[in-house]
Amino acid sequence: MDTLQSLQWRPPKPNYLPHDVEVDEPIVDVYKPPIPMDKASDRENAEYYAHMKRMAHEYNITRPKGYTVSYHFNPDMEPHHFGLTHPMKPFRLTLTKSLVTAYGMNFAMDNYNTRIATYEELNSFHTSDYLDYLHMTPPEEMPRDIDNPDKEVKFNLGGSDCPLFHGLYDYCSMSAGSSLDAARKICNKQSDIAIAWGGGLHHAKKSEASGFCYINDIVIAILQLLRCYPRVLYIDIDVHHGDGVEEAFHSTDRVLTCSFHKYAPEVFFPGTGGLDDTGPKSEHNPGAHHAINVPLNDGITDEQYGHLFQSVIGKINEKFRPSVIALQCGADSLAGDRLGRFNLQVQGHGACAKFCKTFGIPMIMFGGGGYTPRNVARAWAYETSVAIDVDEKINKIIPEHTPWRKHFVQEELFPSLEQILGEPRANRNSQKRLQEIIQHVHEQLRFVNAAPSVQQQVIPPDLGGIRDDVEDRLKEESEERDEGLRRDREEGLGIGGEF
């Protein structure tokens, strides 16, 4: 039986430490609630709706011709926070939504307020022991390794990277629910490009949390896609290696994973994803050669990244012939991120989504990392505009009526590197090294069959019956909630608007 040596031989490094860190600038700020999550009045909702309609009309934002885009979100994810000094801020989803709706992009998509994923759906990948512990363990105010860095934590839960915060299980279920709903809309042919910015948590393992990720919504979504599509191409442009997804599909030729990431195994999380990490070492394992890793150094530019991306992904598409793409759009690869140190701008990041779109096959666009919320929101809003084909139409100045506009600091949708960083990071990626990477990947692809088998030793269980029961129950609960909201309106009480 093949081992996962290529993924396990290096000990994992913490993604960040909230204490005793000496760097040239602070990694995180102390958490301060950025805004009160007050409910908007009916009048405010109506005024904002009018602004959205005006923007959509002014920039001719209409549904794309010939294909359908869907947007999957659960607004209840947004108020959560991971702790006082933790870099992950779900408020970035609020900022993303504010930009997307301010431009009127929501009128060009099918918008789904998604339900949470059920235990059974999470169990399609994660073990019962892990899910039970995740569900039942009470929240803790402080990470367990603050006072004792060597203290062991069960399932890697409760430490600085993966704290046990209030509402953790619900938060994870909401994230997975959005991604799973996106996958089902793709499978049902209801959507051609499905967007789930609340997902993309690529580090979580079958029985272990890792790197701010507790539930691997991407794996759960891909398992759904494999019911309907023979070959899935997973692409990861997060600054961190997509180790959890790669490991999950280590031994199949139906999923090819490709990760572009910073690689510095002694100092940068997770320490895996070297150029020679290509999957199982045994040629008898169907997954051999189906893990492609593109290791990068600090300071890579838009031009370098774009050339590398197109050279690698173009060749993969030619050789592997995927039926569907799962694109993880982690925004910590942007310049100015609190954990990443690339020189990528919003345009360069979005160019990856634009290139994938040219293949004309179904695609899910997931979120992922990203620890400077204003930059994350810019990238994901721009990539939403790419998906609906209005990226050339929208104004490059953030609309005046955008909620929380002051949190974007600069008014430009595409601030310059000088505005973001003052001075770009030193580029440690030589053209010679990048060309060597391209040649290595092209050589690796010679061993990938153009038409892999569609058999799997383990077929994911059909959750259709369970799903129908759950959705019937949730529909009843939703109707009861809607009745309560109707009564509130009649009493003159304002409610939050989720357009």
Side-chain angles (χ1 to χ4, degrees):
M1 188 172 181
D2 227 315
T3 62
L4 304 182
Q5 293 179 349
S6 64
L7 294 172
Q8 294 182 342
W9 73 275
R10 303 181 191 92
K13 303 289 191 241
N15 209 348
Y16 91 107
L17 289 173
H19 52 91
D20 299 329
V21 179
E22 294 182 2
V23 291
D24 57 351
E25 60 186 15
I27 290 181
V28 297
D29 297 328
V30 173
Y31 176 79
K32 297 177 182 178
I35 43 90
M37 291 292 186
D38 293 335
K39 294 179 178 180
S41 69
D42 287 343
R43 179 178 177 179
E44 289 170 327
N45 284 337
E47 289 175 350
Y48 186 60
Y49 186 82
H51 283 306
M52 293 192 302
K53 291 284 286 185
R54 181 172 58 81
M55 286 290 102
H57 178 74
E58 182 176 336
Y59 298 120
N60 192 27
I61 295 176
T62 58
R63 288 179 175 270
K65 295 181 180 179
Y67 66 98
T68 301
V69 178
S70 57
Y71 195 87
H72 306 259
F73 67 101
N74 189 323
D76 291 337
M77 290 183 66
E78 298 168 19
H80 290 82
H81 75 93
F82 283 53
L84 294 178
T85 60
H86 202 287
M88 179 64 88
K89 308 295 184 192
F91 176 61
R92 64 196 186 142
L93 298 174
T94 306
L95 290 182
T96 301
K97 182 178 66 181
S98 77
L99 265 188
V100 169
T101 56
Y103 279 110
M105 295 186 213
N106 46 303
F107 295 112
M109 303 181 285
D110 293 333
N111 299 279
Y112 296 97
N113 190 334
T114 58
R115 65 166 175 81
I116 64 172
T118 67
Y119 180 96
E120 292 80 9
E121 288 165 340
L122 302 180
N123 198 208
S124 65
F125 173 60
H126 294 283
T127 64
S128 297
D129 287 348
Y130 174 65
L131 292 175
D132 291 343
Y133 189 82
L134 184 68
H135 188 206
M136 300 303 294
T137 305
E140 298 176 356
E141 296 302 323
M142 290 291 291
R144 299 175 185 178
D145 55 359
I146 292 293
D147 296 325
N148 183 4
D150 297 323
K151 186 174 182 178
E152 292 188 9
V153 290
K154 190 173 183 180
F155 299 119
N156 201 30
L157 290 168
S160 298
D161 269 15
C162 300
L164 293 163
F165 60 87
H166 291 270
L168 170 60
Y169 186 83
D170 287 343
Y171 176 86
C172 297
S173 302
M174 294 173 198
S175 170
S178 295
S179 297
L180 190 53
D181 189 56
R184 286 181 175 141
K185 294 300 186 291
I186 294 288
C187 287
N188 294 339
K189 312 298 184 186
Q190 293 176 258
S191 180
D192 299 292
I193 299 177
I195 299 170
W197 296 134
L201 306 179
H202 58 167
H203 292 307
K205 309 301 193 299
K206 193 177 185 69
S207 298
E208 181 180 293
S210 178
F212 314 166
C213 304
Y214 302 83
I215 293 294
N216 202 315
D217 61 284
I218 302 173
V219 172
I220 293 170
I222 290 177
L223 289 173
Q224 176 68 33
L225 293 175
L226 288 172
R227 295 192 175 105
C228 305
Y229 295 94
R231 296 180 298 282
V232 179
L233 170 58
Y234 171 69
I235 305 170
D236 192 314
I237 57 174
D238 195 287
V239 78
H240 300 95
H241 177 224
D243 57 335
V245 182
E246 180 181 314
E247 181 177 318
F249 298 106
H250 191 72
S251 296
T252 179
D253 58 359
R254 293 184 61 196
V255 179
L256 188 147
T257 63
C258 181
S259 177
F260 298 77
H261 51 268
K262 176 177 174 177
Y263 181 67
E266 298 304 320
V267 296
F268 196 72
F269 181 89
T272 53
L275 191 59
D276 293 325
D277 293 338
T278 61
K281 301 306 178 185
S282 171
E283 296 293 333
H284 298 292
N285 191 312
H289 311 294
H290 281 69
I292 292 175
N293 285 297
V294 181
L296 303 169
N297 296 319
D298 289 341
I300 192 166
T301 65
D302 283 356
E303 293 74 19
Q304 288 177 319
Y305 201 93
H307 175 69
L308 190 63
F309 188 87
Q310 293 189 24
S311 299
V312 169
I313 298 302
K315 192 67 174 179
I316 291 174
N317 182 60
E318 174 188 321
K319 185 67 174 176
F320 183 63
R321 293 296 178 190
S323 316
V324 61
I325 293 173
L327 175 63
Q328 196 265 20
C329 301
D332 48 6
S333 48
L334 290 170
D337 189 80
R338 288 172 175 166
L339 298 185
R341 299 178 71 87
F342 287 173
N343 285 324
L344 288 187
Q345 295 178 265
V346 170
Q347 306 95 305
H349 199 267
C352 298
K354 201 164 188 175
F355 183 69
C356 290
K357 189 181 163 194
T358 64
F359 298 145
I361 60 177
M363 177 167 64
I364 302 179
M365 296 166 62
F366 301 94
Y371 308 103
T372 304
R374 61 182 179 272
N375 294 346
V376 177
R378 283 184 168 96
W380 291 350
Y382 175 64
E383 284 153 12
T384 301
S385 77
V386 167
I388 60 177
D389 204 23
V390 300
D391 50 299
E392 299 296 333
K393 298 180 180 180
I394 59 175
N395 197 322
K396 302 310 181 283
I397 300 298
I398 294 173
E400 290 288 342
H401 60 271
T402 303
W404 332 127
R405 191 175 190 268
K406 67 178 182 179
H407 290 279
F408 290 95
V409 183
Q410 299 91 6
E411 65 176 1
E412 294 86 0
L413 183 62
F414 305 138
S416 66
L417 280 179
E418 288 70 25
Q419 287 176 295
I420 299 169
L421 295 173
E423 183 176 342
R425 308 285 191 192
N427 188 351
R428 306 188 186 282
N429 301 272
S430 68
Q431 290 301 122
K432 179 182 177 182
R433 177 55 178 164
L434 296 181
Q435 193 57 41
E436 289 173 352
I437 291 173
I438 292 172
Q439 292 174 351
H440 185 282
V441 171
H442 286 191
E443 177 65 20
Q444 179 182 340
L445 287 169
R446 291 200 309 111
F447 299 94
V448 173
N449 294 324
S453 68
V454 295
Q455 288 185 322
Q456 284 186 306
Q457 290 181 335
V458 179
I459 302 295
D462 185 2
L463 299 174
I466 297 172
R467 184 172 74 249
D468 291 343
D469 291 343
V470 169
E471 290 184 343
D472 286 344
R473 174 171 54 81
L474 292 174
K475 184 179 179 181
E476 292 178 5
E477 293 176 357
S478 177
E479 290 173 350
E480 293 174 0
R481 187 165 58 251
D482 290 344
E483 176 63 20
L485 293 176
R486 183 188 63 77
R487 288 194 296 269
D488 286 344
R489 288 195 187 98
E490 292 174 351
E491 294 171 5
L493 300 177
I495 60 169
E498 298 298 342
F499 297 105

